[in-house]
Amino acid sequence: MKPKHVIITFFFCAVVFSLAIVLNTWTQDKLSQEEKRFDFDRDGELSESEKEFMVRVMRLEDARGTQFSESQIREMRTGQRDRSRRRGGGGWGRGSREPTGPRLNPEQIAFRDGTATIPDRETFEKLSYQGTEVRIDTQLIGIEFVKFQIENTHTQNPQLYFMNTETHRSHGAFMRVAGLRRGQGQMRGVLSYRPLFTSPNGEPGVYTFEFNPNDAFPFEEIKLAHDLLVAKMPILKNRLGYCPLWGAVGIYEREKARYDAAEFPVYFEDDLYANIGYLPLNQASSFGRLRLLEIGERPAVRDIVICKTLPNEMPRVAGVITGVRQTPLSHVNLRAIQDKVPNAFITKAWENSAIAPLIGKYVYYKVNADGFEIREATLKEVETHFSDLRPSKVQRPERDLSVKQILPLDDLGFTDAARFGVKTANLATLRTFGFPEGTVPNGFGIPFYFYDEFMKYNGFYDDLEGLLTDTAFLSDHDTKAAELKKFRAEIRKGEMPVWMMDALSELHNAFPEGTSLRCRSSTNNEDLPGFSGAGLYDSYTHHPHEGHLSQSIKQVFASLWNFRAFEARDFYRIDPFVTAMGVLVHPNFEGELANGVAVSDDVVYQTQGNYYLNTQVGEDLVTNPEAQSIPEEILLDWWDSNNYRIITASNRTAEGARILKDAYLRQLSFYLGTIHNKFSRLYTSTSRTNDFAIEIEFKITSEGKLAVKQARPWAQ
């Protein structure tokens, strides 16, 4: 080769090599320092598996308030690959430790941990637990129960341990102190007392025994358990029945003839748990006027209301009692949590001897884990209570009117909440998280400027000022409700300036012809940390035949002055003249297969390391459920989406079929972890806290696709 050619070739190779270095550096720089920790193959990009692993680890880091080193992360990844995978309720001993000492026989157990026998009712009461701290055994909330464990059922010498359930709520914790290891011949069960039932011998009160929901033991082992329980607790004779939970129903039906001939009865789960008479939803205390709320009536801020059915909306009240069981993520309970007021289901509360005589009077009301307290109170106690609760100064939420045009969501971000509302800003932010196209709706945000100009154009601020100086409006509950209704009607009839009508027409035309549009409230006083505003405002669907989009936009504007919203803002002393309404507009979901709410922590049962999911079929909203609707409840492991527990099946599916199949659970695990991690950093960038949780609303669309429609901080 000639020297000139050598020089050219060398120069060309050097350029290519330099470009490769630059390109590799550029691709590496695309990843943040946090993300680089998970680029295990060092290719400058995160594969899908690397992304999923990153979400799990960062969720764990957020909970612990620390950051793992690269070497720790690689060890965790190796452990994840080597670990056996469990499915459908297995593995709930995650994190369990080996026994702390030698194996103890039942007679050797200290009473603080358990016992070998229960000679009388008094001993049962000392060993039992009754309340809400039942971890994942939610069917036991409010029931008095003692857990037990049987060892060596496959031998001639089976052993029965009664657990001190006040000390040890889980079998795993008891096994550690008793020196028991998992193995053959084990049965882990619960012995419950049910005072509302009549026993086979005619006496009031029945004891039932059951096992883990997915356990299925043959008749011989069930009879063995029955006989051991009666032998070691004699008061159970002719008062003990077996309750097969969902996992055992199949084997029970196959062996039904043997159960029919047995000396003990069988009670079914639906019959037993339908008789739960008390369920604490939010444990708190309050003072107020006790009021039986009839359909169509509106409560006042100082009312403790008794509702015979579950209302779909609720203004701020002093406390809630419902005659039907509630879902923990209904708007009613979210408001109770946000407002820190007591909320419980008490069966036929209006007939309860402790409650009925107090209707119409001032009362003190407290919801506890194991029961409620209620007594008559004085007006002075009520006044003192409310004066301590309300802020001492006027609150002025941020309202920025500098943006004067409608913008696409892809042009907005997290910091635009002061101009477009939190709901709009958060949805725009969700669109930047890299989810598949169609997961997060695409649309537009209408800024606060439009609302402000509309109000000024029609002189509505002057009308509002007149209301707020009217003595009758301020002092009379019914007058306030009636005047706000008139004010909303005036807003819906108000005129928009030409420029605003043109802008809304342009927005409408940006969507394909015939598209129904969802117009959603997005204010500067909702979806905030500590104040969700859930259920305060209204959203509307604008269908093609309904004419100009302005009609639906004005309906959303008017909802800012709902009675429930006005009362909530007034209680928190929020300045009504800086309150502003933006509107989020995107295509409407139609014919969805399911809808749900998920929280990035177990905010209901307080188990560690789990997401909490509520889902219902079709358009039966979890947040505003139909009467007698019971959604599907699932606890989903942060770390392993194959590890989940079905707490309650939906009562809207055939034979309790599961709504969220495994594929949806895997998607939700990834989406929810990503959303939590990203928003945790956005909301707590100045003061990181491991108490942060995010709540999302999701749908399974008519095409079977998982879509996320909203994200907001969980109101602690």
Side-chain angles (χ1 to χ4, degrees):
M1 183 179 293
K2 295 181 179 180
K4 182 178 180 181
H5 292 162
V6 171
I7 293 171
I8 292 173
T9 302
F10 177 80
F11 177 76
F12 177 76
C13 292
V15 169
V16 170
F17 182 72
S18 299
L19 286 173
I21 293 175
V22 170
L23 182 61
N24 184 63
T25 302
W26 179 77
T27 55
Q28 288 287 338
D29 287 343
K30 288 195 300 181
L31 300 177
S32 68
Q33 288 301 317
E34 281 191 321
E35 292 171 330
K36 286 179 182 178
R37 297 179 297 153
F38 302 93
D39 184 17
F40 300 112
D41 55 13
R42 303 300 184 192
D43 67 349
E45 297 180 348
L46 294 183
S47 66
E48 290 304 312
S49 63
E50 288 171 338
K51 286 179 184 176
E52 289 183 8
F53 186 72
M54 176 183 69
V55 166
R56 297 189 182 104
V57 172
M58 291 175 69
R59 179 67 187 88
L60 191 59
E61 288 177 332
D62 189 77
R64 295 186 180 182
T66 187
Q67 188 175 83
F68 300 117
S69 66
E70 286 195 39
S71 61
Q72 288 175 315
I73 290 171
R74 288 182 179 275
E75 288 177 11
M76 293 164 72
R77 184 169 182 253
T78 301
Q80 183 196 43
R81 286 200 304 260
D82 293 343
R83 194 176 63 167
S84 61
R85 308 290 280 184
R86 295 176 294 261
R87 183 175 300 274
W92 281 91
R94 182 172 58 86
S96 61
R97 301 183 298 274
E98 288 297 308
T100 57
R103 179 189 176 103
L104 302 176
N105 292 324
E107 293 76 16
Q108 297 173 301
I109 299 291
F111 191 80
R112 68 176 179 273
D113 296 314
T115 185
T117 61
I118 300 181
D120 48 37
R121 170 73 189 162
E122 183 181 4
T123 305
F124 182 86
E125 290 175 346
K126 291 178 180 178
L127 293 166
S128 68
Y129 173 76
Q130 184 174 15
T132 58
E133 296 178 8
V134 295
R135 298 177 65 82
I136 59 175
D137 299 313
T138 55
Q139 74 275 15
L140 298 174
I141 289 176
I143 294 174
E144 184 183 16
F145 65 92
V146 169
K147 289 192 173 182
F148 64 87
Q149 182 148 334
I150 303 175
E151 295 283 309
N152 303 325
T153 61
H154 60 310
T155 71
Q156 297 297 314
N157 185 33
Q159 294 176 302
L160 171 65
Y161 297 77
F162 289 106
M163 293 167 45
N164 188 322
T165 313
E166 185 68 39
T167 305
H168 303 293
R169 209 77 78 240
S170 70
H171 286 92
F174 172 76
M175 290 172 68
R176 287 194 291 274
V177 300
L180 303 178
R181 289 173 170 79
R182 294 183 183 273
Q184 278 188 306
Q186 288 181 335
M187 301 176 78
R188 290 178 286 277
V190 179
L191 178 64
S192 304
Y193 178 61
R194 305 175 185 278
L196 298 180
F197 284 79
T198 302
S199 65
N201 64 9
E203 296 180 8
V206 163
Y207 291 86
T208 63
F209 68 103
E210 62 192 52
F211 298 94
N212 291 336
N214 55 341
D215 283 342
F217 297 110
F219 174 80
E220 289 85 355
E221 293 188 44
I222 298 298
K223 186 177 186 308
L224 170 66
H226 172 272
D227 294 348
L228 279 172
L229 288 167
V230 173
K232 299 297 183 179
M233 183 176 169
I235 63 172
L236 294 179
K237 185 174 178 62
N238 294 323
R239 300 185 69 181
L240 179 64
Y242 169 53
C243 175
L245 299 187
W246 58 267
V249 171
I251 193 170
Y252 161 78
E253 291 176 344
R254 291 193 296 273
E255 299 185 302
K256 186 174 182 302
R258 304 190 69 179
Y259 283 100
D260 290 344
E263 70 273 22
F264 57 89
V266 174
Y267 301 97
F268 287 97
E269 185 180 10
D270 289 345
D271 298 325
L272 291 174
Y273 295 115
N275 283 285
I276 293 176
Y278 173 72
L279 185 64
L281 274 296
N282 193 48
Q283 296 180 47
S285 61
S286 183
F287 290 86
R289 179 176 62 128
L290 187 61
R291 179 179 175 189
L292 181 60
L293 198 66
E294 301 294 343
I295 296 176
E297 288 187 333
R298 293 183 179 276
V301 70
R302 296 188 178 196
D303 286 343
I304 294 174
V305 295
I306 303 172
C307 306
K308 291 187 176 182
T309 59
L310 186 64
N312 281 338
E313 60 182 54
M314 181 73 77
R316 194 191 196 287
V317 293
V320 182
I321 301 171
T322 63
V324 294
R325 294 187 67 176
Q326 306 172 37
T327 168
L329 297 183
S330 69
H331 277 159
V332 171
N333 196 48
L334 291 179
R335 290 299 310 279
I337 293 170
Q338 171 190 289
D339 296 335
K340 299 179 174 60
V341 300
N343 178 27
F345 155 65
I346 303 173
T347 185
K348 294 185 178 179
W350 50 92
E351 298 178 3
N352 188 290
S353 60
I355 296 174
L358 297 174
I359 293 175
K361 299 179 180 180
Y362 289 119
V363 300
Y364 167 75
Y365 167 50
K366 183 178 182 181
V367 170
N368 299 309
D370 55 357
F372 66 92
E373 300 174 37
I374 194 165
R375 64 166 173 82
E376 189 168 357
T378 65
L379 178 59
K380 183 178 180 180
E381 286 180 304
V382 175
E383 295 289 352
T384 301
H385 173 75
F386 280 95
S387 64
D388 291 342
L389 283 180
R390 294 188 74 192
S392 59
K393 297 180 180 179
V394 173
Q395 312 295 305
R396 293 184 174 85
E398 188 176 2
R399 183 179 74 161
D400 184 343
L401 303 177
S402 62
V403 177
K404 301 181 179 181
Q405 58 185 345
I406 298 169
L407 292 178
L409 290 180
D410 290 342
D411 290 349
L412 300 176
F414 184 75
T415 58
D416 286 304
R419 292 166 285 280
F420 288 83
V422 182
K423 190 177 295 180
T424 299
N426 282 5
L427 195 74
T429 304
L430 280 172
R431 290 186 53 78
T432 68
F433 292 171
F435 298 148
E437 184 65 29
T439 301
V440 181
N442 194 11
F444 295 84
I446 300 175
F448 295 153
Y449 176 77
F450 275 54
Y451 167 81
D452 185 62
E453 288 295 308
F454 170 76
M455 293 291 283
K456 290 189 293 190
Y457 187 80
N458 290 275
F460 289 143
Y461 284 135
D462 294 335
D463 296 341
L464 179 61
E465 189 168 3
L467 286 177
L468 296 176
T469 56
D470 185 308
T471 304
F473 177 86
L474 295 175
S475 61
D476 184 75
H477 173 85
D478 293 332
T479 299
K480 184 185 295 182
E483 291 300 322
L484 285 172
K485 183 177 181 180
K486 290 180 185 177
F487 188 47
R488 292 196 302 275
E490 290 300 315
I491 291 175
R492 289 193 293 269
K493 292 187 296 184
E495 294 184 4
M496 286 185 171
V498 174
W499 66 265
M500 194 178 294
M501 295 288 285
D502 291 343
L504 292 176
S505 294
E506 185 177 347
L507 164 62
H508 201 169
N509 293 334
F511 294 94
E513 186 175 354
T515 301
S516 292
L517 299 179
R518 189 65 174 163
C519 303
R520 301 171 62 190
S521 62
S522 182
T523 74
N524 62 345
N525 52 87
E526 63 177 329
D527 294 352
L528 301 170
F531 185 81
S532 75
L536 290 183
Y537 309 107
D538 296 329
S539 299
Y540 294 88
T541 301
H542 189 85
H543 298 289
H545 66 272
E546 292 181 305
H548 198 275
L549 184 61
S550 60
Q551 299 303 313
S552 293
I553 300 302
K554 286 188 289 186
Q555 286 182 294
V556 178
F557 285 170
S559 76
L560 192 65
W561 302 102
N562 284 334
F563 177 83
R564 60 185 183 272
F566 182 90
E567 286 283 89
R569 294 195 304 267
D570 182 63
F571 183 86
Y572 288 106
R573 300 188 192 278
I574 295 175
D575 187 339
F577 293 100
V578 298
T579 298
M581 176 68 79
V583 186
L584 167 62
V585 182
H586 61 71
N588 185 49
F589 291 98
E590 296 181 346
E592 62 256 40
L593 302 179
N595 76 92
V597 177
V599 188
S600 60
D601 264 325
D602 177 11
V603 295
V604 178
Y605 307 113
Q606 305 300 315
T607 60
Q608 298 299 309
N610 294 305
Y611 298 127
Y612 177 75
L613 316 177
N614 258 200
T615 315
Q616 189 56 285
V617 296
E619 299 180 16
D620 184 359
L621 297 177
V622 166
T623 51
N624 285 333
E626 297 174 6
Q628 306 302 322
S629 174
I630 299 175
E632 175 180 274
E633 283 183 278
I634 292 180
L635 293 181
L636 177 63
D637 193 318
W638 290 350
W639 187 257
D640 182 0
S641 61
N642 292 291
N643 193 21
Y644 56 86
R645 173 70 184 272
I646 302 169
I647 302 299
T648 306
S650 165
N651 66 345
R652 296 285 193 256
T653 59
E655 298 180 353
R658 182 153 55 101
I659 300 171
L660 292 179
K661 306 299 185 185
D662 288 359
Y664 290 129
L665 290 178
R666 284 193 294 272
Q667 281 185 294
L668 269 173
S669 175
F670 178 68
Y671 291 171
L672 196 53
T674 301
I675 292 167
H676 174 100
N677 294 338
K678 302 251 185 204
F679 273 115
S680 173
R681 285 152 178 76
L682 290 169
Y683 272 107
T684 60
S685 57
T686 56
S687 57
R688 288 294 304 278
T689 170
N690 58 6
D691 291 333
F692 180 84
I694 199 80
E695 173 197 345
I696 68 169
E697 293 185 23
F698 64 89
K699 292 182 181 291
I700 299 176
T701 68
S702 56
E703 294 81 23
K705 184 180 181 64
L706 186 66
V708 180
K709 57 167 282 191
Q710 185 167 329
R712 61 183 170 211
W714 173 256
Q716 301 288 347

